[in-house]
């Protein structure tokens, strides 16, 4: 009797597919022959070569050996930091020329599409770790300009932990899993991290940012990106202007709440990667504005801090952002390994007209990235990989090495030469010219400028700029993190720093940790300034009031009202929300008009943490049944405690009551579509004190 499926195994040799005929897909496709790496066509890709049935496998089987050897070598070392990442192709278009400031065509020639590849990453976790831990996100963009590759290798936070690259290995060793026990994975909440931080006051400003909701982005599409360091733009006359680069997401900034981020780790390890993939596949291409802060040496001298110190921002309120172009990501990579994994960024990759400053962190980075790629990608020819190769003509006299894929011709691999007319030559007119910076005078040594000594003023500015909800989140995050620290004196040391940043913050955290009496405040090297607040550093007030980019779930079951669902779905989609149907069974729901509504996810596997707002259209019978279901209760309860808008029909009220939901301004009747749509564009922060106690 034939098997019910199209594919049936056979056990007699060459062909493992057949069911009284090839499956249709097989028949229509035009498959190229499978070959070895040497181009030999393979006849049987299922069975090893043996000397008889039940016999020994023969060493002669070159096909088996090649296949397994290649497999054994498939992994390359993962990045020592930023190992977990997701990336996409796209383009950058300049809209406002900086021609007076730089010769770089990418920043002067408007209207051209420059191909880009952008990779977003977490820092601490391994390549197979989760997407939503509390962590800084890498924001690296490779622009394939016609004057060579420009890599803007930044983060979603505008400052860094340390002032000097010398400390980077210590920072990373302290941050990553502890070397004896190999945990925690992908999380800063442990002793070694906070031990180092508590002994390194220069990191206090960064600590404020990482304890804020910035490190819990709702989506990679809703994060800002920052080049962090001051770079230089250099114009045709050789004049330099300082520049800081900022990426601003078109969808606005948005973060999750901590409990939601934790639940997302359980619900979907790949939450951010999937979100980016699905958006691009759906044609909802994420976009970011490229903005610059431009300033002169004279302006820099008037700032109350040193802009060459990467633990400092220049508040937008002091030097405004100028929007100069937009990046759009519109194509998912064909192959994760070939592109996302093998892409090699390096802050030293800049086209003529962009140059570096003496920021000591930047200077160290200029060395580190090329060095790490040599190990990670196995030799000096990694720039020839398609994802890394420039998309402009390139030629030099570098030769040989592992995995050389080019076939340079001729006798000449040196310069100057007189033997070969087409050998490459340095070109003064268009070549990279380093900015002729006057060397500062002084004495050689392991030195740090006095102007780098203020570690607390901007930390205070950041904390005091946040609104009260954000301050509570930040204080609660510190309590959570430090509660995971087993060593009491490390907790104490951190509180003594916090008391300097802001006394109230220090007291809140001390109370949350049960520390009494308070430790003595740390002793800053210089007086802490009360800088003007910078509202641009906040998140909540700057969330964009839109459904675009957001995802709303509708819970339906057999018998649900087809009209109500269609009406709500249509209204949401008209405002560009992504709508996901959730049902108790993945086959979907048979609605009251007899139609089958296909489900995107089943209830137990689609927690509400994955959605920005939820709605339910149920029958009384279904609601009663779901009252006994813990997943259904959690679905509503979590949406409520994650401060999301909820719309429900009359029948669902009993289930909501069972889930402990009390009616407030964020809970709507399913009939009040307009109000729900407005609610789904935001979060109900006023609900928070009723659902969790914050520090
Ligand atoms: Fe770094 C990777 C961003 C300081 C050494 N870094 C890496 C990536 C990002 C950043 C986004 C991942 C790129 C990708 O997607 O492949 N790093 C930063 C920022 C820093 C910073 C914004 C401070 C402003 N990094 C920094 C220092 C050093 C490094 C001070 C060493 C002295 N970073 C590396 C590295 C990595 C890296 C070891 C690991 C993998 C790689 O380079 O390609 O070289």
């Amino acid at each position: 009797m034939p098997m019910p499926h199209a594919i049936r195994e056979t056990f007699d040799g060459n062909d493992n597919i057949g069911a009284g005929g090839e499956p249709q897909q097989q028949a229509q496709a035009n498959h190229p022959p499978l070959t070895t790496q040497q181009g030999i066509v393979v006849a049987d890709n299922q069975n090893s070569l043996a000397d008889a049935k039940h016999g020994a496998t023969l060493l002669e089987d070159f096909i088996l050996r090649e296949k397994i050897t290649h497999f054994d070598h498939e992994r390359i070392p993962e990045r020592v930091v930023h190992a977990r990442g997701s990336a996409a192709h796209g383009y950058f278009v300049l809209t406002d020329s900086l021609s007076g400031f730089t010769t770089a065509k990418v920043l002067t020639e408007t209207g051209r599409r420059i191909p880009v590849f952008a990779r977003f990453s977490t820092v601490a976790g391994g390549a197979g770790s989760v997407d939503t831990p509390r962590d800084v996100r890498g924001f690296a963009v490779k622009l394939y300009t016609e004057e060579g590759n420009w890599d803007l290798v930044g983060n979603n936070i505008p400052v860094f932990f340390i002032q000097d690259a010398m400390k980077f290995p210590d920072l990373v060793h302290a941050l990553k899993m502890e070397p004896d026990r190999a945990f925690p994975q992908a999380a800063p909440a442990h002793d070694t991290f906070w031990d180092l931080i508590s002994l390194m006051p220069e990191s206090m400003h960064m600590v404020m940012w990482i304890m804020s909701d910035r490190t819990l982005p709702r989506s990679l599409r809703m994060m800002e990106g920052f080049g962090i360091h001051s770079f230089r733009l250099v114009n045709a006359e050789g004049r330099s202007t300082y520049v800081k680069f900022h990426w601003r997401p078109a969808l606005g900034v948005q973060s999750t709440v901590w409990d939601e981020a934790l639940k997302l780790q359980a619900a979907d390890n790949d939450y951010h990667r999937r979100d980016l993939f699905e958006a691009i596949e759906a044609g909802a291409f994420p976009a970011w504005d490229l903005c610059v802060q431009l300033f002169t040496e004279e302006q820099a001298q008037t700032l109350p801090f040193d802009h060459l110190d990467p633990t400092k921002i220049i508040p937008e309120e002091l030097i405004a952002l100028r929007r100069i172009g937009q990046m759009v990501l519109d194509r998912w990579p064909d192959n994760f390994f070939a592109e996302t994994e093998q892409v090699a960024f390096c802050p030293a990759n800049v086209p003529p007209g962009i140059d570096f400053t003496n920021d000591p962190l930047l200077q160290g980075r200029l060395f580190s990235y090329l060095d790490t790629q040599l190990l990670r990608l196995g030799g000096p020819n990694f720039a020839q990989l398609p994802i890394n190769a420039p998309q402009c003509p390139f030629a030099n006299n570098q030769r040989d090495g592992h995995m050389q894929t080019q076939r340079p011709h001729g006798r000449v691999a040196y310069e100057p030469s007189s033997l070969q007319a087409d050998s490459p030559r340095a070109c003064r007119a268009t070549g990279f010219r380093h900015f002729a910076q006057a060397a500062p005078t002084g004495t050689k040594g392991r030195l740090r400028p006095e102007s780098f000594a203020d570690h607390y003023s901007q930390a205070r500015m950041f904390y005091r700029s946040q609104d009260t909800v954000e301050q509570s989140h930040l204080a609660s995050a510190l309590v959570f993190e430090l509660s995971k620290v087993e060593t009491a004196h490390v907790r104490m040391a951190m509180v003594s720093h916090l008391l300097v940043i802001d006394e109230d913050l220090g007291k809140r955290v001390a109370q949350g940790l049960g520390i009494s009496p308070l430790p003595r405040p740390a002793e800053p090297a210089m007086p802490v300034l009360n800088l003007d607040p910078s509202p641009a550093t906040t998140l909540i007030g700057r969330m964009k009031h839109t459904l675009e980019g957001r995802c709303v779930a509708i819970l339906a079951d057999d018998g649900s009202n087809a009209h109500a669902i269609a009406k709500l779905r249509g209204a949401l989609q008209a405002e560009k929300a992504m709508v996901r149907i959730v049902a108790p069974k993945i086959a979907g729901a048979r609605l009251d008009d007899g139609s089958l509504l296909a489900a995107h996810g089943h209830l137990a596997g689609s927690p509400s943490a994955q959605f920005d707002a939820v709605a339910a259209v149920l029958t009384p019978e279904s609601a009663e049944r779901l009252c006994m279901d813990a997943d259904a209760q959690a679905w509503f309860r979590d949406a409520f405690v994650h401060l999301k808008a909820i719309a429900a029909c009359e029948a669902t009220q009993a289930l909501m009551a069972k889930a402990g939901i009390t009616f407030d301004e964020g809970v709507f009747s399913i009939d009040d579509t307009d109000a729900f749509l407005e609610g789904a564009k935001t979060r109900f922060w006023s609900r928070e004190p009723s659902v969790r106690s914050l520090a």
Side-chain angles (χ1 to χ4, degrees):
M1 212 176 92
M3 292 173 81
H5 301 295
I7 298 178
R8 185 181 62 188
E9 281 181 293
T10 62
F11 299 100
D12 56 356
N14 294 345
D15 185 3
N16 78 329
I17 298 179
E22 297 289 286
Q24 232 196 342
Q25 201 193 346
Q26 285 284 106
Q28 284 173 354
N30 183 17
H31 298 287
L34 180 78
T35 74
T36 66
Q37 298 268 24
Q38 306 302 325
I40 312 298
V41 175
V42 175
D44 178 353
N45 191 31
Q46 315 299 324
N47 302 294
S48 310
L49 183 69
D51 60 357
K53 276 190 177 166
H54 300 116
T57 301
L58 298 178
L59 192 58
E60 180 191 326
D61 190 348
F62 65 93
I63 294 175
L64 172 73
R65 278 188 288 112
E66 184 195 89
K67 186 174 179 181
I68 291 200
T69 305
H70 194 279
F71 171 76
D72 290 343
H73 293 245
E74 272 177 10
R75 288 292 162 273
I76 60 172
E78 65 176 31
R79 289 165 174 84
V80 57
V81 280
H82 296 269
R84 180 168 179 82
S86 305
H89 293 274
Y91 57 88
F92 169 73
V93 177
L94 186 78
T95 47
D96 179 12
S97 173
L98 296 180
S99 55
F101 298 97
T102 177
T103 57
K105 290 186 179 174
V106 62
L107 296 179
T108 54
E109 295 187 352
T110 56
R112 304 176 68 155
R113 273 194 178 209
I114 312 292
V116 304
F117 189 68
R119 182 175 182 273
F120 309 102
S121 45
T122 56
V123 178
S129 61
V130 293
D131 270 351
T132 57
R134 179 178 292 284
D135 200 354
V136 180
R137 299 303 190 282
F139 196 118
V141 183
K142 190 181 281 293
L143 297 100
Y144 303 90
T145 86
E146 67 171 278
E147 296 174 301
N149 288 351
W150 175 29
D151 292 356
L152 193 48
V153 195
N155 281 339
N156 74 331
I157 285 179
V159 287
F160 203 63
F161 293 96
I162 50 174
Q163 296 174 323
D164 191 311
M166 185 80 167
K167 300 175 95 155
F168 190 68
D170 299 294
L171 171 73
V172 174
H173 288 170
L175 169 66
K176 291 199 78 140
M177 61 191 188
E178 298 188 12
D180 56 349
R181 58 210 66 184
F183 60 79
Q185 176 67 248
H190 59 119
D191 287 50
T192 57
F193 176 71
W194 287 103
D195 181 29
L196 180 74
I197 293 293
S198 70
L199 297 168
M200 211 166 55
E202 72 199 57
S203 60
M204 289 308 141
H205 187 201
M206 180 74 166
V207 164
M208 293 295 102
W209 286 82
I210 61 171
M211 291 297 110
S212 79
D213 294 346
R214 292 256 172 184
T215 42
L216 311 172
R218 150 66 181 87
S219 161
L220 302 171
R221 301 176 288 144
M222 298 174 194
M223 302 191 310
E224 290 176 334
F226 302 92
I228 300 176
H229 313 281
S230 296
F231 287 84
R232 288 179 187 282
L233 298 181
V234 184
N235 71 6
E237 289 79 49
R239 184 167 55 82
S240 142
T241 306
Y242 291 122
V243 59
K244 278 184 182 277
F245 295 102
H246 301 243
W247 295 105
R248 283 283 151 93
L251 292 174
V253 283
Q254 195 192 326
S255 287
T256 58
V257 293
W258 175 232
D259 181 67
E260 184 184 7
L262 288 176
K263 289 195 165 125
L264 281 168
Q265 289 189 24
D268 186 358
N269 286 348
D270 307 303
Y271 181 66
H272 283 152
R273 183 175 291 172
R274 194 186 309 276
D275 170 89
L276 185 63
F277 173 82
E278 286 180 350
I280 291 174
E281 292 296 296
F285 302 136
W288 286 262
D289 286 343
L290 180 61
C291 306
V292 289
Q293 284 177 301
L294 297 170
F295 55 104
T296 60
E297 181 67 54
E298 294 68 42
Q299 278 174 292
Q301 296 302 330
T302 66
L303 298 171
F305 39 79
D306 192 332
H307 74 104
L308 297 179
D309 169 357
T311 69
K312 304 292 185 293
I313 58 168
I314 301 182
E316 281 174 44
E317 293 77 7
L318 289 184
I319 295 181
L321 262 55
R322 173 167 167 183
R323 180 189 177 279
I324 59 166
Q326 193 179 50
M327 169 173 77
V328 176
L329 299 182
D330 63 353
R331 186 163 61 86
W332 192 256
D334 290 329
N335 183 271
F336 182 85
F337 180 82
E339 299 169 274
T340 309
E341 198 57 19
Q342 291 201 121
V343 66
F345 293 94
C346 178
N349 294 346
V350 289
I354 303 178
D355 207 339
F356 315 113
T357 58
N358 283 348
D359 172 342
L361 192 74
L362 175 60
Q363 291 288 321
R365 294 181 73 196
L366 299 180
F367 163 74
S368 180
Y369 290 68
L370 172 58
D371 185 43
T372 208
Q373 312 306 354
L374 291 173
L375 171 72
R376 196 170 71 79
L377 298 170
N381 291 315
F382 66 85
Q384 294 176 19
L385 293 167
I387 194 65
N388 294 324
Q391 296 187 18
C392 62
F394 60 102
N396 56 49
N397 294 316
Q398 294 165 20
R399 292 289 185 271
D400 309 343
H402 280 294
M403 297 299 154
Q404 176 60 256
T405 60
Q406 293 183 330
R407 277 179 298 169
H409 68 280
R411 300 166 73 183
V412 170
Y414 57 90
E415 197 209 4
S417 79
S418 61
L419 299 186
Q420 194 176 312
D422 67 350
S423 62
R425 293 279 163 94
C427 179
R428 274 193 166 273
T430 56
F432 191 94
R433 306 275 282 273
H434 295 269
F435 172 64
Q437 188 188 355
T441 51
T443 315
K444 177 172 151 187
R446 296 193 178 276
L447 303 165
R448 199 173 293 201
E450 290 76 23
S451 54
F452 278 31
D454 178 3
H455 302 320
Y456 296 94
S457 300
Q458 286 211 350
R460 176 180 290 177
M461 178 189 76
F462 179 84
Y463 180 71
R464 293 188 180 169
S465 301
Q466 307 304 297
D467 80 5
T468 50
V469 173
E470 289 171 306
Q471 287 184 343
S472 315
H473 288 188
L474 198 155
S476 302
L478 281 159
V479 171
F480 177 93
E481 294 278 316
L482 295 172
S483 296
K484 295 277 182 185
V485 171
E486 292 166 6
T487 316
H489 75 251
V490 173
R491 298 198 291 263
M492 285 293 233
M494 272 315 299
V495 171
S496 69
H497 289 299
L498 299 175
L499 286 166
V500 179
I501 294 171
D502 183 273
E503 195 181 337
D504 180 54
L505 171 66
K507 286 182 176 165
R508 285 165 91 165
V509 174
Q511 195 184 17
L513 295 170
I515 291 179
S516 175
L518 288 174
R520 284 220 332 259
E523 289 172 16
M526 54 190 295
V528 184
L529 305 174
N530 289 317
L531 300 168
D532 289 339
S534 171
T537 60
T538 64
L539 278 180
I540 287 180
R542 296 168 56 235
M543 189 173 154
K544 198 167 172 183
H545 199 68
T546 177
L547 280 174
E548 193 177 351
R550 304 220 153 84
C551 182
V552 180
I554 304 176
L555 176 64
D557 197 358
D558 289 342
S560 291
N561 185 296
H563 173 72
I565 292 174
K567 183 174 160 227
L568 181 58
R569 190 179 198 170
L572 287 163
Q573 285 172 339
E575 294 211 28
K576 296 192 177 162
M578 184 181 271
V579 178
R580 286 281 177 251
I581 304 296
V582 175
K585 297 198 174 69
I586 189 62
R590 182 70 62 190
L591 303 182
D592 62 353
D593 66 354
S595 63
L596 178 70
L597 180 67
H600 297 100
H602 73 298
L603 183 55
S606 310
S608 60
Q610 295 171 299
F611 313 111
D612 295 289
V614 298
V617 182
L618 300 171
T619 61
E621 300 74 39
S622 163
E624 194 183 326
R625 202 171 49 250
L626 291 176
C627 274
M628 308 308 294
D629 186 316
D631 293 323
Q633 287 179 33
W635 206 77
F636 287 100
R637 178 77 195 148
D638 282 347
F640 192 71
V641 302
H642 298 154
L643 318 176
K644 294 171 180 173
I646 302 174
C649 65
E650 191 66 31
T652 310
Q653 311 294 335
L655 176 52
M656 304 239 291
K658 187 89 179 172
I661 293 177
T662 46
F663 279 78
D664 67 12
E665 55 175 355
V667 181
F668 303 90
S669 156
I670 200 79
D671 300 323
D672 201 351
T673 313
D674 290 346
F676 174 60
L677 260 57
E678 283 307 295
K681 294 174 184 170
T682 185
R683 299 241 180 170
F684 293 88
W685 306 105
S686 56
R687 187 190 289 159
E688 196 158 37
S690 70
V691 294
R692 69 175 58 89
S693 57
L694 291 165

